């Protein structure tokens, strides 16, 4: 019996590993095709900006940024959002019942006063208490919403949607720093699509280690802290290989909740974000796909390789552990809530291919890896390990992992996704991270996933807890009195949706 179990399990692990490697190789090839197509068809930033800046068809965009206890970084990051290059956008910061000085700092810095408002109540959220606007014309694009605490980012985003009147909105985190040309790059794909563009994603990387000046990344660097360095490599693989590969099929597993452009009307008609979801980005994408497929409408997704957003990642093991078990629990929620979509061709390529991939190669992977590790310990104890075969298989997997690391660096260099301060030093750090990752970072992430699965089964860990921030590195000489409308050549003090206040 044990011999039979041994052979069955060995073959399952072997073929599963081969299938995973083939799937990743296929995504890498498709990503290369998609990036080449973009390099040929997409114009440079200057052309996009010249074309859209004065065009009457340039759609309005709202940036919705939930904030909870962000006093360390809130002022720098809001200034960064206000300095984006785009002729028709506004910023909606949603204070989700912060217990620190987040709201007070915003009121003081941006000269905010309470104004009348209309809560459209299009999607579910905790009640909005107050809405603030600035008395200073240079901050006319800023709206701050103070709401009852909802405990989840998705609830705060819904509150922002309830006063948002823009055709599109960007879902982001208030701690993120968005590249000035980000909206231009994303909207270009919207206006050039023959079908309804329901979402556009872009590459997002770690802010840790970068140098920031006046709310912008002026020197992109890989952190010397191993944890952010591992995450940097992980993010690059996810965006430049995974999501770019899926986008070539007009499918995406998600549009990152940290930074992504979504169609406001489609999101609202899809019911908005699940107010208690721990995987709000995946859940929202599946809600939109379900709505579009059920109503028979044609739609498109897009993903661009350029880095458009920087986020401060966990810099300690404790914070990373908390983040990743939340992600794993959120994955379980998605599978549970949207199980009717899995392997269901009625919901297009998302149901037929993307979701099966997520279930087989992302959800099941930690379970099989832990089972394989325990199985290996048992074989060692009974002295039944074929070490030659084991080393060959391990070496094959390890070489494949390193190949993906080198491949993503090639993609990064070819597409100029990031302009690193010192390219060879940054790439060296990422290569070292790739060499060590299978022994250090990956086992830790697998353990976090298993804990997250157990939390889902035991119905624990449902509260969304943002990670602690340190703030970005800055130059010693800072211009604290900078005027976003002067730094931003596309800024216009009055070009904001005044109807957001109900024209009162």
């Amino acid at each position: 019996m044990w011999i039979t179990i041994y052979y069955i399990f060995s073959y399952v692990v072997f073929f599963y590993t081969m299938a995973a490697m083939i799937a990743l190789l296929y995504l890498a090839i498709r990503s290369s095709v998609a990036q080449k197509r973009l390099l040929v068809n997409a114009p440079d930033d200057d052309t996009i900006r010249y074309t859209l800046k004065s065009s009457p068809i340039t759609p309005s965009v709202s940036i919705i940024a939930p904030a909870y206890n962000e006093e360390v970084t809130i002022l720098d990051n809001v200034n960064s959002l206000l300095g984006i290059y785009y002729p028709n956008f506004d910023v909606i910061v949603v204070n989700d019942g912060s217990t620190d000085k987040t709201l007070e700092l915003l009121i003081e810095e941006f000269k905010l006063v309470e104004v009348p408002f209309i809560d459209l109540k299009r999607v579910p959220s905790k009640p909005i208490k107050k809405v603030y606007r600035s008395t200073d014309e240079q901050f006319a694009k800023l709206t701050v919403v103070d709401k009852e605490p909802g405990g989840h980012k998705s609830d705060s985003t819904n509150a922002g949607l309830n006063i948002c009147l823009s055709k599109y909105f960007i879902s982001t985190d208030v701690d993120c720093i968005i590249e000035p040309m980000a909206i231009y790059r994303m909207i270009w794909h919207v206006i050039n699509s023959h079908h309804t563009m329901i979402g556009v994603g872009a590459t997002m990387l770690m802010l840790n280690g970068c140098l920031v000046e006046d709310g912008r990344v002026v020197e992109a660097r890989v952190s010397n802290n191993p944890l952010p360095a591992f995450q940097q490599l992980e993010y690059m693989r996810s965006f430049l290989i995974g999501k770019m590969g899926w986008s070539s099929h007009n499918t995406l597993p998600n549009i990152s909740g940290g930074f992504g452009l979504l169609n406001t009307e489609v999101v609202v008609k899809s019911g908005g974000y699940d107010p208690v979801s721990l995987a709000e980005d995946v859940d929202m994408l599946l809600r939109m796909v379900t709505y579009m497929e059920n109503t028979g409408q044609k739609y498109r997704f897009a993903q661009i390789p350029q880095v458009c957003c920087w986020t401060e990642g966990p810099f300690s093991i404790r914070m990373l552990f908390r983040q990743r078990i939340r992600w794993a629990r959120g994955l379980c929620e998605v599978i549970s809530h949207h199980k009717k979509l899995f392997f269901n061709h009625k919901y297009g390529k998302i149901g037929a291919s993307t979701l099966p991939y997520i279930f087989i190669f992302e959800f099941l992977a930690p379970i099989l890896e832990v089972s394989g590790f325990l199985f290996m310990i048992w074989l060692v104890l009974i002295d039944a390990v074929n070490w030659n075969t084991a080393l060959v298989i391990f070496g094959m997997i390890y070489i494949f992992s390193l190949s993906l690391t080198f491949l993503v660096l090639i993609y990064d260099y070819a597409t100029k996704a990031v302009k690193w301060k010192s390219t060879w030093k940054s790439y060296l750090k990422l290569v070292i991270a790739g060499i060590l990752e299978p022994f250090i970072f990956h086992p830790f992430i697998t353990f976090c996933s298993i804990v997250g699965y157990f939390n889902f089964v035991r119905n624990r860990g449902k509260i969304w807890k943002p990670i602690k921030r340190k703030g970005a590195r800055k130059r010693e000489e800072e211009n604290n009195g900078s005027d976003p409308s002067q730094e931003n050549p596309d800024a216009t003090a009055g070009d904001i949706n005044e109807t957001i206040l109900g024209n009162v």
Side-chain angles (χ1 to χ4, degrees):
M1 175 182 176
W2 291 110
I3 296 297
T4 302
I5 294 175
Y6 168 80
Y7 279 112
I8 291 176
F9 189 80
S10 298
Y11 279 114
V12 167
V13 171
F14 176 78
F15 285 110
Y16 179 88
T17 303
M18 292 298 103
M21 292 170 65
I22 291 171
L24 286 171
L25 182 61
Y26 177 76
L27 286 176
I29 294 172
R30 294 301 306 178
S31 172
S32 176
V33 172
Q35 291 180 50
K36 287 180 180 178
R37 187 183 300 123
L38 286 175
L39 287 174
V40 172
N41 297 329
D44 58 55
D45 285 349
D46 291 337
T47 303
I48 293 175
R49 185 172 170 185
Y50 175 81
T51 304
L52 296 182
K53 184 177 179 179
S54 57
S55 172
I57 66 170
T58 300
S60 58
V61 176
S62 290
I63 301 173
I64 301 178
Y68 176 75
N69 289 353
E70 303 279 358
E71 64 179 8
V72 174
T73 61
I74 189 68
L75 298 183
D76 287 337
N77 292 322
V78 171
N79 274 314
S80 171
L81 295 177
L82 292 172
I84 290 174
Y85 299 164
Y86 195 72
N88 190 13
F89 82 99
D90 64 292
V91 177
I92 303 174
V93 176
V94 184
N95 179 49
D96 189 38
S98 297
T99 57
D100 64 358
K101 295 182 179 180
T102 296
L103 183 59
E104 289 84 351
L105 289 172
L106 287 170
I107 292 173
E108 180 181 356
E109 176 72 12
F110 299 105
K111 302 176 179 62
L112 302 178
V113 295
E114 184 180 352
V115 296
F117 68 96
I118 293 178
D119 185 350
L120 300 176
K121 298 186 183 300
R122 298 180 295 183
V123 290
S125 74
K126 292 290 184 179
I128 295 174
K129 296 189 294 184
K130 296 179 181 179
V131 172
Y132 296 90
R133 292 284 301 277
S134 178
T135 58
D136 191 331
E137 197 175 68
Q138 67 174 306
F139 304 124
K141 292 181 179 292
L142 176 63
T143 299
V144 175
V145 176
D146 186 29
K147 62 179 285 291
E148 297 287 346
H152 290 78
K153 175 187 173 183
S154 49
D155 185 82
S156 298
T157 305
N158 279 353
L161 282 171
N162 280 330
I163 67 167
C164 168
L165 294 179
S166 297
K167 190 171 182 179
Y168 294 89
F169 75 95
I170 287 178
S171 172
T172 188
D173 298 317
V174 78
D175 62 286
C176 291
I177 291 181
I178 300 177
E179 287 290 310
M181 284 294 297
I183 301 181
Y184 272 123
R185 294 168 182 168
M186 302 175 91
I187 288 295
W188 181 261
H189 292 273
V190 171
I191 65 174
N192 283 281
S193 174
H194 298 295
H195 303 303
T196 300
M197 183 68 74
I198 66 175
V200 182
T203 300
M204 181 173 67
L205 293 184
M206 292 288 107
L207 181 63
N208 308 60
C210 297
L211 191 64
V212 175
E213 183 177 332
D214 296 328
R216 296 179 184 174
V217 175
V218 293
E219 291 182 5
R221 301 172 179 173
V222 177
S223 175
N224 291 324
N225 183 331
L227 280 184
F230 284 131
Q231 293 171 76
Q232 192 78 281
L233 179 60
E234 180 188 37
Y235 272 47
M236 292 176 72
R237 281 201 302 258
S238 173
F239 286 100
L240 294 179
I241 292 181
K243 292 186 178 182
M244 285 301 303
W246 284 117
S247 70
S248 68
H249 285 291
N250 192 34
T251 60
L252 280 172
N254 74 317
I255 293 176
S256 175
F259 182 75
L261 182 125
L262 300 174
N263 185 304
T264 305
E265 181 183 4
V266 175
V267 168
V268 170
K269 289 185 176 180
S270 302
Y273 288 86
D274 182 346
V276 296
S277 175
L278 293 178
E280 74 284 344
D281 49 359
V282 182
D283 179 80
M284 189 66 255
L285 181 140
L286 296 180
R287 284 168 174 256
M288 290 190 293
V289 168
T290 301
Y291 167 75
M292 297 299 284
E293 293 288 351
N294 287 341
T295 55
Q297 300 182 61
K298 294 184 178 181
Y299 59 92
R300 281 197 57 79
F301 298 106
Q303 179 75 24
I304 56 179
Q306 292 97 336
V307 176
C308 291
C309 182
W310 301 84
T311 182
E312 185 179 353
F315 52 85
S316 72
I317 292 177
R318 180 182 179 184
M319 287 189 294
L320 182 62
F321 177 74
R322 193 172 71 187
Q323 180 196 65
R324 295 312 171 93
I325 61 174
R326 174 169 59 84
W327 287 8
R329 196 191 191 289
L331 178 59
C332 293
E333 288 180 356
V334 167
I335 293 173
S336 175
H337 295 168
H338 298 279
K339 52 182 176 291
K340 69 175 182 179
L341 275 66
F342 282 73
F343 303 95
N344 190 341
H345 64 85
K346 177 183 176 181
Y347 295 98
K349 296 176 182 177
I350 290 282
S353 60
T354 307
L355 291 181
Y357 175 90
I358 290 175
F359 179 77
I360 296 171
F361 296 117
E362 294 188 14
F363 174 74
L364 292 182
I367 298 174
L368 282 176
E369 287 181 34
V370 171
S371 300
F373 178 73
L374 296 176
F375 188 65
M376 187 67 181
I377 292 177
W378 177 70
L379 291 178
V380 171
L381 292 176
I382 65 173
D383 195 25
V385 179
N386 185 328
W387 289 106
N388 290 331
T389 302
L391 289 175
V392 168
I393 294 175
F394 174 79
M396 179 180 63
I397 297 172
Y398 186 65
I399 291 173
F400 182 80
S401 174
L402 287 180
S403 299
L404 286 181
T405 297
F406 284 107
L407 186 62
V408 79
L409 297 183
I410 292 172
Y411 285 172
D412 174 75
Y413 184 81
T415 60
K416 296 180 174 60
V418 188
K419 295 179 181 179
W420 299 104
K421 169 63 177 177
S422 178
T423 303
W424 75 269
K425 286 184 180 179
S426 297
Y427 283 176
L428 179 60
K429 291 179 184 178
L430 292 171
V431 168
I432 293 174
I435 293 171
L436 299 177
E437 182 189 32
F439 306 101
I440 302 173
F441 187 71
H442 184 74
F444 176 76
I445 297 302
T446 300
F447 173 71
C448 294
S449 297
I450 296 299
V451 174
Y453 294 172
F454 275 112
N455 282 352
F456 175 77
V457 172
R458 295 183 297 169
N459 199 29
R460 295 180 59 183
K462 297 177 71 172
I463 301 298
W464 175 59
K465 298 180 180 179
I467 65 173
K468 186 178 179 181
R469 310 294 179 190
K470 291 178 66 177
R473 295 176 57 197
K474 307 176 185 65
R475 294 188 190 275
E476 293 181 2
E477 297 180 5
E478 293 184 301
N479 180 14
N480 293 324
S482 61
D483 181 345
S485 65
Q486 296 302 316
E487 294 176 5
N488 182 354
D490 291 338
T492 304
D495 61 353
I496 190 170
N497 290 318
E498 292 297 334
T499 49
I500 208 169
L501 306 178
N503 290 323
V504 179

